[in-house]
Amino acid sequence: MEGHDSEDPKQSTADMTAFVQHLLQQMQSRFQTMSDSIVSKIDEMGNRIDDLEKSIDELREEMGVEGSPSPLAPSKFKTEEGSA
């Protein structure tokens, strides 16, 4: 009655092993694709931030505020020294 149990257990184990290995390879490939995509988006965001910083610096130069510190990296020590 159990026709499928007549298979060689070693063959069944080998089939299952091959299936699991294939599944793991697919998962690894998908994770690598997602990782590459995330890194690419982070790089793109970094480039856009750099462009923004350049634009801000250009605007500040046009306004004649060249000597003041960048708003992206405020220093508490400099403001405290100036007020002391």
Side-chain angles (χ1 to χ4, degrees):
M1 289 187 170
E2 297 177 8
H4 293 290
D5 286 343
S6 64
E7 288 184 25
D8 181 13
K10 289 182 181 178
Q11 181 62 39
S12 179
T13 302
D15 290 345
M16 184 60 72
T17 300
F19 173 77
V20 170
Q21 285 178 339
H22 180 68
L23 190 62
L24 289 173
Q25 287 172 347
Q26 285 181 327
M27 289 174 62
Q28 182 178 5
S29 175
R30 288 179 183 167
F31 280 123
Q32 186 63 48
T33 301
M34 287 192 314
S35 176
D36 292 344
S37 175
I38 290 169
V39 168
S40 173
K41 289 179 191 275
I42 289 172
D43 287 343
E44 181 183 333
M45 208 181 309
N47 290 336
R48 292 175 72 184
I49 289 172
D50 290 344
D51 290 344
L52 241 145
E53 287 176 336
K54 288 176 187 173
S55 295
I56 290 171
D57 288 340
E58 289 171 4
L59 286 171
R60 294 176 69 179
E61 286 177 17
E62 288 177 15
M63 294 173 61
V65 193
E66 295 176 30
S68 62
S70 170
L72 299 176
S75 174
K76 292 181 181 179
F77 299 112
K78 288 184 180 179
T79 55
E80 288 175 4
E81 288 174 5
S83 62

